[in-house]
Amino acid sequence: MPDDGNVSESGKLNSIAHKWCWGSVDVSDGLLWNPLIAEMATAGSVMLEVWEHVLSPRQRADLTEGFAAEDEHSARVAAAFLSGVSRIGHASPSHMVSFGAGQQASPTLGRARAVWQEQALQAGLPLPPDWARVRRAAPEHITAAVLPRLTGCDCAGYVDGEQCRDQEHRGLYVVAYALNRHGADVLHADTVAKAYRATGGSAWDAVRVSLVDAVAHHVGIGALELPRLIRPSDPARLTAFGRLVSQSNGLSHGHAFGSFVSPHDTWATISDRARLHARDAVSRMGVAR
Ligand SMILES: [Zn+2]
């Protein structure tokens, strides 16, 4: 395992640019920013822990049926992988240039942003030169737009919010659209089409491939295995899963632990810390272990 990158499915060493996507920013305690990949991996581990220690046998069986998975093991790793990649839309130009949005403006924040930007560009993160002209879309809509393509659908001709009609791939779209759905909201094809135009193109596609491969590696599957693990067809059966994903993401933020990892940390360190954080977070939910 190389120290500063990760190995993709094809076995090639990816660049380190993806480690410079930020997940959360908090300059109040000198923490600055936490890599998105660390929080994605933690969200995956939280789902594994919750599945094992929190869910009832009935809930596990319901989720497995909702996914149309062959067995609970397949459903569990697929759920963890999806939880981890549910924030893939954050790896987009419009979200990355909003570094520190929501934090109170301060000289510390300004410096943190400038240092992050310089180092991220050096690492190869394709930040746009003109931040004011970046196309905007909600990260969760970008997730719906890009995830099926990153998890096994390579069919030609389905762009701009169109869904692949291959039976094998339908589930990828069902689950990607359901991931960030709140309540009964249904994601409209036009919304996804608009998000397509804000994905940042092939340079950002490469960053997202690295992130998705890293999460897949972290939970112990290949990113392109998803269509073999689950075949969901009814979005209404994925509502409980959507809530678990939100919960896993909430528990994965760096400030939930008061500690951030560094993009200079090795992937093995980031992966280990994610598992540790997840065990902590889930045991703090007050569950008997
Ligand atoms: Zn397809």
Side-chain angles (χ1 to χ4, degrees):
M1 201 70 211
D3 270 0
D4 54 355
N6 66 285
V7 177
S8 75
E9 289 223 311
S10 57
K12 277 187 301 216
L13 175 64
N14 291 321
S15 87
I16 56 163
H18 65 285
K19 289 166 102 183
W20 292 87
C21 289
W22 58 271
S24 49
V25 174
D26 183 358
V27 298
S28 60
D29 227 3
L31 289 171
L32 306 182
W33 66 276
N34 201 35
L36 179 62
I37 184 56
E39 298 184 355
M40 291 171 74
T42 305
S45 284
V46 168
M47 183 66 85
L48 290 174
E49 292 285 323
V50 165
W51 189 286
E52 197 109 317
H53 301 289
V54 181
L55 298 182
S56 68
R58 178 73 252 166
Q59 287 171 311
R60 290 198 284 259
D62 281 349
L63 288 165
T64 304
E65 272 176 45
F67 279 136
E70 203 160 275
D71 49 44
E72 282 198 9
H73 173 75
S74 302
R76 176 176 177 257
V77 288
F81 171 63
L82 288 164
S83 180
V85 297
S86 63
R87 286 176 74 199
I88 193 65
H90 285 74
S92 57
S94 65
H95 185 70
M96 283 300 117
V97 301
S98 73
F99 186 103
Q103 299 263 308
Q104 191 162 7
S106 68
T108 315
L109 179 60
R111 268 195 307 276
R113 181 167 42 218
V115 170
W116 165 75
Q117 186 188 350
E118 194 194 325
Q119 296 186 342
L121 284 168
Q122 267 172 20
L125 194 66
L127 293 172
D130 184 355
W131 289 22
R133 294 173 59 96
V134 170
R135 279 183 194 272
R136 311 238 151 219
E140 57 268 32
H141 298 157
I142 294 181
T143 293
V146 299
L147 196 56
R149 291 297 185 173
L150 295 168
T151 50
C153 175
D154 56 358
C155 305
Y158 297 103
V159 291
D160 276 358
E162 279 185 307
Q163 297 195 30
C164 173
R165 279 183 271 280
D166 186 323
Q167 269 313 107
E168 301 254 305
H169 296 160
R170 207 180 109 65
L172 300 178
Y173 289 81
V174 170
V175 83
Y177 280 51
L179 269 178
N180 295 288
R181 209 168 41 113
H182 301 294
D185 284 355
V186 174
L187 204 47
H188 196 277
D190 289 347
T191 307
V192 181
K194 187 167 166 278
Y196 254 108
R197 296 193 280 277
T199 54
S202 59
W204 282 93
D205 285 339
V207 171
R208 288 186 288 261
V209 166
S210 298
L211 288 166
V212 168
D213 277 351
V215 173
H217 183 265
H218 178 72
V219 301
I221 62 167
L224 305 180
E225 273 181 61
L226 197 59
R228 281 197 278 122
L229 294 171
I230 58 169
R231 305 250 170 113
S233 56
D234 180 5
R237 298 289 312 272
L238 300 174
T239 310
F241 172 65
R243 276 197 301 271
L244 288 173
V245 170
S246 302
Q247 184 186 38
S248 303
N249 280 328
L251 291 171
S252 74
H253 286 261
H255 24 242
F257 312 101
S259 75
F260 284 6
V261 302
S262 156
H264 297 293
D265 284 336
T266 64
W267 169 240
T269 302
I270 294 174
S271 196
D272 287 348
R273 289 275 291 275
R275 283 190 188 88
L276 211 64
H277 281 335
R279 275 200 291 274
D280 268 13
V282 174
S283 65
R284 269 194 264 149
M285 288 165 75
V287 182
R289 315 220 15 174

